[in-house]
Amino acid sequence: MPLILISGYPSSGKTYRSNQLVEYFKTKIEASSDARINRLTVCHINDQSLGLSRDVYREARTEKDARATEYSAVKRALGKDTIIIADGLNYIKGFRYQLYCEAKAVQTPNCVVHVGTPIQNCEEINARLLENKEEDGGYAKDLFDNLVYRYEEPNGMTRWDSPLFTVPYEDEKPPLGDIWEAMIGSEGKVKIVKPNQATVMKPATESDYLYELDKTSQEILNVILDWQKDHPGEGGGELTVTEGTIELPANPVSLPQLQRIRRQFISLNRQHNLPNSRIRSSFIEYLNYNLG
């Protein structure tokens, strides 16, 4: 059942909003007369439930491990009778895209709830948490500033951040009813994601599809590698290719890094059967998310 991703600045009140969602969903389930809704359970996943400290975000390696832990927990929990509320920073758009793909693979709805607390308010809340030395604590000032700087705000125009529900700081509650309707549906009509070209396996063409996935992604990597070979030491800028533009980072990208991104893309999409016409543009999008 639905995957609800919570995203926001550090100390923006994500867990507070998540608890509001958990309480509302549980109340709706208990009050329902629909047997299918009564079977639903709510799973709240966050850093605390996973045993992760604030300091995991201080280094790239430990942060990567933390994201992998959350990713695995969400993937294990995805099922027809579970509503998942993934309450974490979820500030990297490429990570949100990965979780979006997992939800689509099991044909379940998903949305993003953006806790829209202004930075100034987040700073005040974080300072208060540090001063009071509360159990879950706040973020060290340098870490807080770094996470705010790196935050990639959800964009409702992209399919992996849609539908997007933004919760202003002043609002007493999130739009609980709207989120329920978008994720579960009306009484007696549980919402499901209908199979389509991106989520249904086509066994008769599976080998051809995997071949195209492998060949097309490698062709794009070769374009990047050839460009870097012809422009040694250069980085940054845009590299125009068929069906898209690759946004190159300031520093040259290594072959192992490119191959890792390519393997992740193939792993995420091997069960999805993207139309062949979408493989190239989808991989370009995925590259830009992970190289940015």
Side-chain angles (χ1 to χ4, degrees):
M1 282 302 289
L3 169 62
I4 302 172
L5 281 181
I6 311 296
S7 183
Y9 288 130
S11 298
S12 59
K14 295 180 297 298
T15 297
Y16 173 67
R17 298 303 192 182
S18 296
N19 287 332
Q20 288 180 309
L21 280 166
V22 169
E23 182 179 352
Y24 179 81
F25 272 65
K26 286 183 176 180
T27 300
K28 290 284 288 186
I29 292 169
E30 291 173 1
S32 176
S33 59
D34 189 317
R36 289 173 298 176
I37 293 180
N38 291 149
R39 289 200 301 268
L40 300 178
T41 59
V42 181
C43 177
H44 184 191
I45 297 173
N46 62 10
D47 286 353
Q48 286 73 37
S49 69
L50 298 174
L52 300 173
S53 72
R54 307 289 196 196
D55 287 337
V56 298
Y57 298 102
R58 188 171 290 282
E59 297 181 9
R61 179 186 58 80
T62 54
E63 181 177 339
K64 180 181 176 182
D65 291 342
R67 285 202 301 273
T69 300
E70 180 184 352
Y71 179 82
S72 298
V74 170
K75 188 173 181 178
R76 286 194 304 270
L78 279 170
K80 65 178 182 178
D81 294 329
T82 305
I83 300 169
I84 301 171
I85 298 176
D87 158 26
L89 287 175
N90 299 321
Y91 72 97
I92 297 176
K93 56 187 175 181
F95 183 60
R96 296 197 299 268
Y97 175 79
Q98 286 182 293
L99 292 175
Y100 159 84
C101 289
E102 289 299 335
K104 288 299 180 185
V106 296
Q107 299 174 22
T108 190
N110 68 284
C111 72
V112 174
V113 176
H114 177 213
V115 181
T117 305
I119 294 176
Q120 181 178 353
N121 296 96
C122 294
E123 289 177 334
E124 294 172 357
I125 295 170
N126 191 67
R128 188 163 60 248
L129 290 171
L130 287 175
E131 182 180 352
N132 295 340
K133 298 180 180 180
E134 296 186 15
E135 185 176 346
D136 58 351
Y139 297 83
K141 184 62 168 61
D142 62 328
L143 180 55
F144 175 90
D145 292 341
N146 185 264
L147 288 171
V148 167
Y149 175 76
R150 289 190 283 147
Y151 186 73
E152 296 175 337
E153 186 170 318
N155 178 3
M157 299 297 291
T158 58
R159 62 188 185 277
W160 54 93
D161 284 338
S162 176
L164 174 64
F165 300 93
T166 298
V167 187
Y169 178 64
E170 301 81 13
D171 284 12
E172 182 181 350
K173 296 179 180 179
L176 301 168
D178 292 341
I179 296 172
W180 173 273
E181 181 65 26
M183 295 295 98
I184 307 299
S186 304
E187 184 76 11
K189 187 179 179 182
V190 176
K191 187 178 182 67
I192 61 171
V193 175
K194 294 181 179 180
N196 55 40
Q197 282 185 305
T199 56
V200 177
M201 284 294 290
K202 301 182 181 105
T205 62
E206 179 181 5
S207 60
D208 292 339
Y209 168 69
L210 292 176
Y211 171 75
E212 284 297 325
L213 199 63
D214 182 82
K215 179 173 74 71
T216 301
S217 57
Q218 185 60 56
E219 285 175 355
I220 294 172
L221 289 201
N222 290 340
V223 170
I224 298 174
L225 293 170
D226 289 343
W227 187 91
Q228 291 187 155
K229 183 178 180 181
D230 294 337
H231 302 79
E234 294 185 27
E238 297 181 343
L239 177 58
T240 301
V241 296
T242 305
E243 297 185 22
T245 300
I246 301 170
E247 300 170 4
L248 296 173
N251 297 317
V253 190
S254 67
L255 176 59
Q257 182 182 358
L258 288 171
Q259 290 288 18
R260 176 179 57 79
I261 295 172
R262 175 172 171 266
R263 287 194 299 270
Q264 289 175 344
F265 176 79
I266 291 174
S267 176
L268 285 170
N269 289 283
R270 67 169 56 249
Q271 300 295 324
H272 297 176
N273 260 32
L274 289 167
N276 285 358
S277 60
R278 282 282 300 148
I279 292 176
R280 182 176 292 272
S281 59
S282 293
F283 184 53
I284 291 171
E285 288 179 354
Y286 190 71
L287 270 171
N288 288 336
Y289 304 148
N290 284 275
L291 293 177

